[in-house]
Every structure is written in C-alpha cells, then in structure tokens.
Amino acid sequence: MNDIGWLILAIVYAIIAPVAGCILAGVDRKLSARMQRRQGPPIMQPYYDVRKFMEKEQITSNSVQDFYVACYLLFIIITGVLFFAGQDFLLVIFTLTLGETFLVLAAYSSGSPFSQIGAQRELYMAMAFEPIFLFVAICMYLETGSFSISDMVGSGELPSLMMIGVFLAFIYGITMKLRKSPFDLSMSHHAHQDLVRGLTTEFSGKTLAMIEISHWYENIMLLGIIALFFADGTITGFIIGLIAALVIYFVEILIDNGFARMTWQTALKSGWLVGLVLGLGNVIAYILL
Amino acid sequence: MSYSTKSPWILHYDASSCNGCDIEVLACLTPLYDLERFGIINTGDPKQADLLLITGAVNDQNKGVVKQLYEQMPEPKVVVAVGICACSGGVFRECYNILGGIDTVIPVDVYVPGCAARPESIIDGVVKGLEVLENKLNKMREGTL
Ligand code: SF4
C-alpha cells in the first residue's frame, strides 16, 4: 500500500471508528445478555446512552477533569490515526500511554476515594499490559526488520508462526485494555456496584460521553492491532485479520461472562508472568533460532 | 422521544426497608423480567443515575443520605418510591424512628404501592417515571426547571 492508501485508511478510521465501535459495543451487550439468557438491550443502546449523557446537566467536581478527559479522547484518536496511517509502532504505544495518563489524572483530580482507587488500579493494569505491548513491538521488529507499521505490512513476512508466543500474550493483555473480566478492575461495564463506578465515579454528562467515545476508538484500534498480526499487505490478509479480530473479540465476551474479577495483585502478577514467559520467550526464540 | 427515556439508569437505595422490596427490585434485573432490554442499567453512582428507586420508610439516620443522593444526581431526575413503606411509611409508620414516606424528605414523582411491590408494578412505575423524566427534560430545555 502506498502513502495515499495509508492516509485514506487513517481518515476512514477517524470517521468510521466511533460508528463501528458503537455497534461493536452494542453487539457486545446483546451477546452478553444472550449468554445470560436475557433479551438484552437494542444494538444501538451505547449510542442512546451517549446521547443521554449529552442531554444531562453537567456536574463537574473539579473543572480540570474535563480538560484531562478531553485530552484522553484526543490522544486515543491520535493513537488510532497514527496506527492506521502506518506510522511507527513505538510511537503508537507511547501516545496510547500518554492518553491513558490523562485518564488517570482525571480520575485522581477528584476527591472521591472510589475514583482514586479506580485510578490506582488503572495504573496497575497499565503496568501489566505495557510490557506485553512492548514485546509485541520488538517481535514485530525482529520479524519484519522495521518498527514502522507500513513497512511491517509491506514486508510480506506476516503472518508468521514465529510470533505465536507474543500473539497469545497480546490476546491475554488485550482483556485488560478492553476492560473485560477478569481484568475489569478499574471500571467495568457490568457489576456497576463494585467501587461504585471505579475510575469514572466522578464523571457524568458530557465527560462520561467523551470516555465512552474514547472506548469506541480504542477498541477498534486494538482490533486493528490483532489484524496487524495477519496483515500481509493483500486484501485476503486484511479480511483474515478482520475475521480473527472479531473472533477474538467474541472470545473476550465469552471470557467476560465466564470469569469473576481478579484482585489487582493476581492481575499484575499474571500479566507480568505471561509477558515474561510468552513475550520475552518469543524474543529469545528469535535470537536463538 | 428523547434519549433520556431510552437509557434511564437506576440508582437503588434501601432506606430502612425490610429487604422485601429490595429483592423485588433486583428481581427486575433477572432474565425473567430483564430491565436492560429497555436500556435500563442498575448503577451505583448517583452522578450517572437518572432514576432514584427508594425502598422502605425513611428514618432519622438515613434521611441525610437520601437527601445527599438526591442532590448528587444531575437533572433531569426522577424519584420512584417503591413499596408501601416508601409511599407512606406502611406498617412502620407509627414507629418512633420513622419519618414516614420518602416524600417527607425529598420530592417523589412516582409511587409504587404494594408490600412487597411486585416486579411488574415496579417496571410499571419506572415506565411512568420515564414520562416524568421526559417532561422534566423539556422543562429543562425551556429553562423553567
Ligand atoms: S413495603 Fe413491605 S416488603 Fe416493602 S419494605 Fe415495606 S414492609 Fe418490606
């Protein structure tokens, strides 16, 4: 794919991602409900929710939190755009982390103990996920000889069986990013009573709407990263990647409904263990083989 | 129809109820009644809630909590009193510690009688509450709320 192609992909992402993310979230809730033998809300429910947040009176406990949440949304969009524009993979990781930092700052800026604990847990989750993410980048580099996503796709080296370890580690870690059980420690879409609403306890109205929209953007980007493992630069590779991403998302919903929440200690330890064994193991395998 | 009525989030508070009505409120969320099909979510966060479901007669100890929960909810908001205790004090009306119905502390929009209120009537009450929510939203837009 040439530069124009990547540019178009990035623009398409910026426009389509919230729509696709919203539908994905709706399907997620419907499937979850069906798995619990309930009828479930309409597919467009996440959209109704966000529109409702916009209609509500705005209550802000600390005015700086709105700014932080807006930055969070902005940097999540930038992350996705960078990713789909075929830019540097490391840059994507760092921008995502920056966005995450703004979310944690927003939660810390209010006095509520619930959102503070939520923010703390969010940091633990980031600590658990980040190493895995970096190992993905390193293995991508070792396989394709470049950190640039457009070069990775163009190299023709993907999909590679050599990356199976880091792929599995990424699947493990993505559960944390998608905020699914057993890793929905900082905030969860179900079981709202836990920690009241965790990280988002103090957010309401438009601020909460921004958080939801960021999730939509983020989820689509994460699915994009799954698809990257299968991207060989052809349309077939794209379609296989898309199907793989959707299948994995379905498995995540299944896991979400089948598991209880872990304590943060277990989550952190297991994240590091998986990162170390599968991620680092994969890097060592590259060096040795 | 406004979006508020398509996604009403519920905050449930037990103001010295005997737990009979609370069980019925929770029963509404089970697969048999499944409130979520109306987009209703049982949240624990007053700042994100639209409907306040209160069970039980309010007493001296928790009247402050009830008031605070009510004040923390952003407009438009609706209060639904679930069970005869919440409506008027019910069998506990004469007790020394009981103030009476919820409306002695905060304004109530919908009363759901019954001891315990059945899930069907609670759902009915919530749906009635949605009309009130819509009215309040319109008033809010006109600037009269
Ligand atoms: S109305 Fe009946 S069931 Fe409900 S709280 Fe009062 S006594 Fe209990």
Side-chain angles (χ1 to χ4, degrees):
Chain A
M1 214 154 52
N2 56 9
D3 283 353
I4 303 289
W6 286 104
L7 191 68
I8 292 172
L9 194 62
I11 294 171
V12 166
Y13 165 80
I15 298 166
I16 299 290
V19 181
C22 175
I23 294 172
L24 194 69
V27 172
D28 182 344
R29 277 177 72 174
K30 191 88 185 169
L31 282 177
S32 293
R34 297 306 302 169
M35 285 175 191
Q36 297 163 8
R37 296 202 164 193
R38 292 188 288 112
Q39 191 185 331
I43 299 285
M44 290 308 285
Q45 190 58 44
Y47 174 72
Y48 301 151
D49 287 350
V50 164
R51 289 301 300 262
K52 179 200 73 177
F53 296 149
M54 306 239 190
E55 283 174 353
K56 296 285 279 186
E57 175 195 12
Q58 184 75 9
I59 295 184
T60 308
S61 49
N62 183 350
S63 54
V64 77
Q65 78 184 29
D66 290 349
F67 170 71
Y68 284 147
V69 171
C71 286
Y72 169 59
L73 173 61
L74 183 71
F75 278 101
I76 292 296
I77 297 177
I78 292 178
T79 312
V81 167
L82 285 176
F83 177 80
F84 283 98
Q87 295 300 311
D88 200 304
F89 201 81
L90 291 174
L91 193 62
V92 170
I93 297 179
F94 297 145
T95 338
L96 186 67
T97 313
L98 185 60
E100 195 80 0
T101 312
F102 276 113
L103 178 64
V104 171
L105 276 176
Y108 267 130
S109 71
S110 74
S112 157
F114 299 110
S115 75
Q116 304 237 344
I117 296 176
Q120 210 165 37
R121 289 182 173 187
E122 182 72 23
L123 286 178
Y124 290 134
M125 293 326 320
M127 277 161 68
F129 177 71
E130 221 78 337
I132 297 177
F133 214 172
L134 281 171
F135 283 128
V136 171
I138 294 170
C139 284
M140 286 277 181
Y141 173 76
L142 291 172
E143 180 67 43
T144 62
S146 169
F147 274 121
S148 150
I149 290 163
S150 55
D151 290 348
M152 286 175 190
V153 175
S155 70
E157 302 279 351
L158 301 169
S160 162
L161 211 55
M162 270 298 278
M163 292 181 62
I164 183 85
V166 87
F167 180 69
L168 292 176
F170 186 72
I171 303 298
Y172 190 84
I174 207 176
T175 322
M176 304 174 187
K177 275 280 155 207
L178 294 172
R179 295 168 205 286
K180 296 266 182 215
S181 255
F183 299 123
D184 51 350
L185 304 166
S186 60
M187 62 161 288
S188 143
H189 287 103
H190 319 291
H192 292 258
Q193 275 75 7
D194 180 55
L195 280 185
V196 184
R197 273 292 261 141
L199 198 62
T200 60
T201 304
E202 290 294 313
F203 305 149
S204 61
K206 292 181 187 66
T207 322
L208 196 57
M210 281 195 276
I211 300 240
E212 281 301 312
I213 295 169
S214 324
H215 284 325
W216 299 345
Y217 271 108
E218 195 179 10
N219 288 355
I220 295 299
M221 190 208 48
L222 291 170
L223 294 190
I225 297 178
I226 297 178
L228 178 66
F229 281 93
F230 300 90
D232 56 2
T234 62
I235 287 290
T236 342
F238 178 78
I239 293 171
I240 292 174
L242 190 69
I243 294 171
L246 291 178
V247 167
I248 284 164
Y249 196 80
F250 179 77
V251 174
E252 291 289 348
I253 298 174
L254 208 61
I255 292 173
D256 190 24
N257 281 290
F259 279 85
R261 184 170 300 139
M262 278 185 190
T263 60
W264 67 263
Q265 289 97 333
T266 327
L268 187 58
K269 278 182 206 153
S270 74
W272 277 356
L273 194 71
V274 167
L276 210 65
V277 174
L278 290 174
L280 191 63
N282 207 336
V283 173
I284 293 174
Y286 264 115
I287 295 171
L288 293 183
L289 297 179
Chain B
M1 235 176 48
S2 67
Y3 290 102
S4 283
T5 58
K6 282 187 176 170
S7 127
W9 288 14
I10 285 180
L11 175 68
H12 167 214
Y13 182 68
D14 171 355
S16 67
S17 139
C18 76
N19 278 353
C21 285
D22 301 303
I23 297 286
E24 300 301 323
V25 168
L26 293 179
C28 298
L29 303 167
T30 56
L32 185 59
Y33 300 104
D34 187 25
L35 269 184
E36 208 195 350
R37 68 199 146 105
F38 304 119
I40 295 174
I41 283 183
N42 185 19
T43 171
D45 189 350
K47 292 190 176 155
Q48 298 173 5
D50 309 284
L51 282 103
L52 178 56
L53 248 65
I54 303 196
T55 54
V58 109
N59 64 26
D60 269 317
Q61 273 191 9
N62 61 27
K63 71 170 184 213
V65 181
V66 171
K67 265 192 199 150
Q68 201 181 12
L69 286 178
Y70 180 75
E71 273 153 20
Q72 281 190 350
M73 285 170 63
E75 292 286 354
K77 57 188 166 193
V78 168
V79 179
V80 182
V82 175
I84 199 67
C85 288
C87 295
S88 67
V91 282
F92 303 115
R93 193 183 177 87
E94 309 284 293
C95 290
Y96 65 92
N97 59 335
I98 292 294
L99 301 176
I102 304 297
D103 49 10
T104 54
V105 184
I106 52 171
V108 173
D109 301 287
V110 181
Y111 296 86
V112 179
C115 176
R118 315 190 100 233
E120 288 90 342
S121 55
I122 295 176
I123 294 175
D124 234 24
V126 168
V127 171
K128 276 235 163 59
L130 295 185
E131 286 166 29
V132 183
L133 200 67
E134 173 108 56
N135 285 342
K136 285 200 177 178
L137 185 71
N138 291 337
K139 273 193 196 151
M140 212 172 107
R141 285 192 179 134
E142 289 160 14
T144 52
L145 189 79

